[in-house]
Amino acid sequence: MVKQILTGWLVIAAMVSGLDAQNTKTLWLDELDVSNATAGWGRTRANKSVDGNVLTVNSQTFERGIGTHAEGQFTIRLDGSAAVFTAMVGVDDEIAQSPNGRHYASVTFLVIGDGKELFNSGAMKAQTSAKPVSVKLDGIKLFRLIASDSGDGIDYDHADWAMAKIEYNGSRPEAIEPIKPKPYILTPKPGPEPRITGPAVFGARPGNPFLFTVTATGERPMTFEARGLPKGLALDSQTGHITGTVEKTGKYQTTVAAKNSRGRAERSFTIVIGDTICLTPPMGWNSWNCWGCAVDDAKVRATARAMADTELIHHGWSYINIDDCWMRKRGSNDPVTGDPVRDKDGRILCNDKFPDMNALTDYIHGLGLKAGIYIGPGPTTCQNYEASWQHELLDAQQFAEWGFDYLKYDWCGYSSVSGNQTLEDLQRPYILMRQMLDQVGRDIVYSVCQYGWGEVWKWGGQIGGNCWRTTGDITDSWSSMAGIGFQQADLYSYAHPGHWNDPDMLVVGKVGWGPNLHDSHLTPDEQYTHISLWCLLSAPLLIGCPIEQMDEFTLNLLTNDEVLEVNQDPSGRQARCVKKDSTAQVWVKTMEDGSQAVGFFNLNGFEAAAISVNWQTLGLEPASRWRVRDLWRQKDLETAQGTFSTPQVPPHGVLLVRLFPHK
Ligand code: GLA
């Protein structure tokens, strides 16, 4: 009897466990819809590398898996009853065909379950053996595979999740689109009373036309006043435009005021007439990151109009800059007549998308804004349009005649005529255009664009550049933005009033580099980081999205006057990175009034963190007491002595504060 019962139990137990084993199913990740996976370059493929080859890591081939590219994410919904995920991960051999590829590739493979890191491969280089992954999935509902660039840019990061599979018991795992964090607004709207914004110092050359707009937030109608303007200048009390010409060099201390039915605000404003313009970093818009070569007259006007209508203009935003593709292409317009790219006198011609440049700049100036243009020193621009090679003076004159106030001079096509790239070769075309601009009787901000070659920050100012690009082109990914931004740490001593390091244009709002736009792939917190960092860096701020399509989040992000003040501080200092580890950085910028702007950056993309700093690290008197103001929220947090610790900073987010001496 006992024997019978025991046998019965054994049979049932065997049946149950047999049932379990039978119910555990295997799902190969390549069976999922991989079109939901994102890739920083190319597209994610099932059973193939990102380039479409057999998955191969360090000569080991795999018959199945997923091939992708950093920064790549694959999000999978589980029902909490999945058992285990296994895979072999590594950098695909296909990049080893290029010697650079071998050197640059580095991918970190991360497995995240419900926001917690379950596996981290560390930075994997090319031609290292695939690493096995095996993680338990008990209870997990949201499962993410991330191929990250290891923080050094995405170049050559071909990432393989070979033999990737999930063992599960319940419902079949499902691939879903990456979950996008919701935008959230931090900054209160400006009050109705007048508050003067924009730079407190402005430079112009003697004898050149002067144009500056006094800007202020607050209810309209508003009128403006100025006291102590130098001889030759007048202010339009309705628009705040200060125009005229000053002949005498010097530093003029003036006072500007704004008045409405709610009150009156005034602020001192310094005008410096001399050799140096662009005394604070330029703030404006550029067509490239949104429209690329699809830019045209109507799009530029729409953005300029919106700069005024959205009231961005009241926060000091002023330049409207046309990037590449406004000129003609050699021989492409009419191969029969050879439709010229220049007129018979050698003057450059616009293409059909820009029918009347003078009318366009008049329109921009009429709104109280300034206008910018783009060309390069070579025979052609980066997009193969006509450029200034051997026509430098004519082009500079033309830009002045058209009324442009800003020139981005982009190397690209110059490589075909530069010979070598010695320091002298690198400087030559920029010195030449500087000399030409000096002859045209107009203040034109000179933006040197050659991607940081020859350590341009060491000489860009000496050859007369107002700003110089320090890196290659930015894109709207964390690795690109953060890679470029945080790389600027060593360049702080090269930024001065009139001369700025330029880590490239902003990637917030809708971007696309062509006719089709998408919302920036940066998360809201990454966008707060982007603007905070660029402000601390005293970088030019050039919005790269169509302003007429700007959503409320982006508008809020770009209209926080306390944040913009960090960028526009007259001292012109660039922040220094004073604390750095693998997950957090602290940057500090001493402002002209002795207050300290401090950015606490959380580099961890998955977990919030508190970040602290002591006064010694910030270079402050250990016993001193400071009022800590949260600039994004425009709210005082506490007074601190000796040390300050942030509340939790979100993943890839920032706390930007300003420390004021506590009386
Ligand atoms: C280069 C520059 C970009 C942009 C394009 C235009 O890539 O770095 O900022 O101006 O050219 O072709």
Side-chain angles (χ1 to χ4, degrees):
M1 173 73 177
V2 170
K3 201 174 159 202
Q4 265 176 353
I5 292 172
L6 209 68
T7 315
W9 273 113
L10 281 175
V11 169
I12 291 168
M15 273 172 65
V16 169
S17 71
L19 210 75
D20 241 350
Q22 249 173 29
N23 271 358
T24 300
K25 288 165 272 190
T26 299
L27 177 79
W28 293 91
L29 261 54
D30 51 77
E31 294 171 325
L32 290 169
D33 179 2
V34 297
S35 69
N36 283 300
T38 59
W41 181 87
R43 71 179 165 85
T44 304
R45 296 171 194 260
N47 301 324
K48 291 262 184 303
S49 68
V50 71
D51 267 354
N53 299 310
V54 173
L55 294 162
T56 313
V57 178
N58 199 26
S59 305
Q60 187 181 2
T61 55
F62 298 95
E63 69 197 57
R64 54 195 318 175
I66 293 179
T68 186
H69 196 286
E71 297 272 316
Q73 282 207 33
F74 196 20
T75 310
I76 297 163
R77 207 197 306 279
L78 308 175
D79 68 356
S81 67
V84 63
F85 167 75
T86 52
M88 297 289 288
V89 296
V91 175
D92 196 282
D93 280 3
E94 66 195 358
I95 53 99
Q97 288 150 10
S98 136
N100 279 346
R102 233 192 336 262
H103 177 64
Y104 288 125
S106 68
V107 180
T108 301
F109 294 83
L110 298 168
V111 179
I112 311 291
D114 290 338
K116 291 252 166 325
E117 193 176 285
L118 306 178
F119 171 83
N120 182 330
S121 67
M124 291 189 69
K125 297 297 224 180
Q127 293 179 308
T128 40
S129 300
K131 272 194 188 164
V133 186
S134 175
V135 293
K136 288 215 166 85
L137 299 177
D138 302 333
I140 285 170
K141 299 216 157 146
L142 196 66
F143 179 63
R144 283 196 293 165
L145 301 180
I146 295 173
S148 123
D149 72 340
S150 313
D152 61 0
I154 66 168
D155 291 357
Y156 300 99
D157 287 349
H158 294 216
D160 293 348
W161 296 91
M163 308 308 281
K165 63 177 194 295
I166 293 174
E167 312 281 346
Y168 68 103
N169 296 299
S171 49
R172 187 180 193 266
E174 189 197 352
I176 57 173
E177 279 185 12
I179 292 172
K180 259 183 113 180
K182 286 212 168 46
Y184 63 101
I185 283 176
L186 289 180
T187 302
K189 284 209 179 330
E193 63 289 344
R195 183 182 189 278
I196 296 177
T197 61
V201 57
F202 183 75
R205 295 203 177 86
N208 285 357
F210 185 103
L211 173 61
F212 179 82
T213 302
V214 181
T215 56
T217 56
E219 241 171 51
R220 268 46 193 179
M222 189 177 280
T223 55
F224 298 89
E225 297 160 17
R227 277 200 315 274
L229 288 181
K231 191 159 162 260
L233 294 187
L235 169 121
D236 179 326
S237 63
Q238 299 306 305
T239 59
H241 300 177
I242 302 177
T243 53
T245 310
V246 188
E247 298 298 340
K248 213 164 155 261
T249 58
K251 200 169 179 178
Y252 301 89
Q253 303 295 353
T254 78
T255 304
V256 292
K259 206 164 78 179
N260 67 10
S261 64
R262 304 297 192 111
R264 183 174 188 282
E266 69 172 46
R267 191 167 89 175
S268 49
F269 177 59
T270 309
I271 294 175
V272 188
I273 304 296
D275 283 341
T276 313
I277 62 167
C278 199
L279 298 182
T280 59
M283 284 173 62
W285 174 88
N286 174 292
S287 57
W288 184 249
N289 288 355
C290 41
W291 299 122
C293 273
V295 62
D296 61 26
D297 178 284
K299 291 189 172 95
V300 176
R301 281 172 194 251
T303 262
R305 176 83 261 157
M307 183 86 99
D309 289 348
T310 57
E311 306 193 350
L312 272 166
I313 194 172
H314 298 334
H315 300 267
W317 295 94
S318 63
Y319 288 95
I320 298 288
N321 295 353
I322 306 164
D323 207 275
D324 206 345
C325 309
W326 59 267
M327 336 64 176
R328 299 183 180 187
K329 269 189 181 172
R330 260 182 220 188
S332 68
N333 294 309
D334 183 346
V336 181
T337 58
D339 191 8
V341 289
R342 293 179 176 270
D343 72 9
K344 63 179 182 3
D345 301 319
R347 285 155 48 121
I348 193 160
L349 297 167
C350 299
N351 61 38
D352 296 347
K353 297 188 297 169
F354 290 89
D356 187 341
M357 247 349 161
N358 272 124
L360 179 56
T361 56
D362 281 352
Y363 180 79
I364 294 170
H365 289 141
L367 294 165
L369 298 167
K370 296 187 172 186
I373 190 99
Y374 163 104
I375 205 160
T380 54
T381 68
C382 292
Q383 305 302 318
N384 287 317
Y385 286 77
E386 173 68 1
S388 294
W389 171 240
Q390 296 181 331
H391 296 88
E392 293 81 2
L393 181 59
L394 279 173
D395 287 356
Q397 284 167 337
Q398 182 65 79
F399 299 151
E401 238 171 74
W402 277 335
F404 282 104
D405 310 291
Y406 191 113
L407 171 66
K408 173 172 169 184
Y409 206 47
D410 190 355
W411 175 281
C412 260
Y414 192 75
S415 288
S416 66
V417 292
S418 67
N420 297 316
Q421 286 196 13
T422 62
L423 198 56
E424 205 197 328
D425 295 324
L426 291 175
Q427 294 180 346
R428 188 184 315 112
Y430 291 95
I431 293 173
L432 181 61
M433 183 47 94
R434 174 73 271 165
Q435 289 163 350
M436 302 304 133
L437 289 174
D438 286 342
Q439 295 175 39
V440 301
R442 192 171 176 89
D443 286 351
I444 298 179
V445 169
Y446 187 30
S447 157
V448 170
C449 177
Q450 43 83 290
Y451 340 114
W453 293 346
E455 301 183 307
V456 62
W457 42 90
K458 294 192 172 158
W459 48 268
Q462 285 154 26
I463 58 124
N466 294 116
C467 48
W468 46 84
R469 277 274 297 279
T470 54
T471 68
D473 290 10
I474 197 168
T475 58
D476 56 324
S477 71
W478 167 257
S479 59
S480 170
M481 184 279 290
I484 286 177
F486 291 114
Q487 244 176 50
Q488 307 297 306
D490 293 337
L491 309 189
Y492 70 89
S493 63
Y494 302 104
H496 294 293
H499 309 291
W500 311 105
N501 291 311
D502 175 2
D504 208 0
M505 302 173 290
L506 303 177
V507 279
V508 300
K510 285 189 187 303
V511 293
W513 295 270
N516 304 315
L517 305 179
H518 61 262
D519 287 328
S520 171
H521 288 136
L522 297 182
T523 66
D525 282 309
E526 291 169 352
Q527 298 189 44
Y528 283 117
T529 289
H530 185 17
I531 302 301
S532 304
L533 187 53
W534 262 237
C535 286
L536 283 163
L537 291 172
S538 303
L541 298 179
L542 292 173
I543 300 170
C545 65
I547 296 174
E548 69 283 12
Q549 295 187 32
M550 204 179 260
D551 60 17
E552 220 195 317
F553 168 78
T554 313
L555 189 60
N556 190 263
L557 190 68
L558 299 172
T559 51
N560 181 321
D561 298 309
E562 295 192 29
V563 172
L564 295 175
E565 231 169 84
V566 175
N567 179 260
Q568 292 293 300
D569 189 64
S571 75
R573 286 186 200 104
Q574 177 170 320
R576 286 169 307 122
C577 177
V578 292
K579 188 174 171 183
K580 182 177 173 176
D581 60 37
S582 59
T583 54
Q585 291 193 14
V586 180
W587 289 60
V588 60
K589 169 172 177 168
T590 302
M591 304 279 281
E592 198 192 34
D593 64 359
S595 64
Q596 312 284 334
V598 190
F600 296 86
F601 296 95
N602 179 5
L603 271 51
N604 185 316
F606 308 103
E607 280 166 30
I611 306 166
S612 56
V613 74
N614 63 37
W615 278 194
Q616 205 176 354
T617 306
L618 290 179
L620 307 178
E621 271 294 308
S624 58
R625 187 169 270 284
W626 299 74
R627 170 168 61 91
V628 184
R629 185 163 173 81
D630 177 336
L631 296 187
W632 282 109
R633 294 173 180 81
Q634 301 188 343
K635 204 172 84 185
D636 287 351
L637 295 179
E638 59 181 86
T639 64
Q641 189 176 25
T643 167
F644 173 71
S645 190
T646 67
Q648 291 286 306
V649 179
H652 282 176
V654 61
L655 180 78
L656 180 65
V657 303
R658 189 158 163 187
L659 307 181
F660 293 94
H662 182 64
K663 306 263 157 40

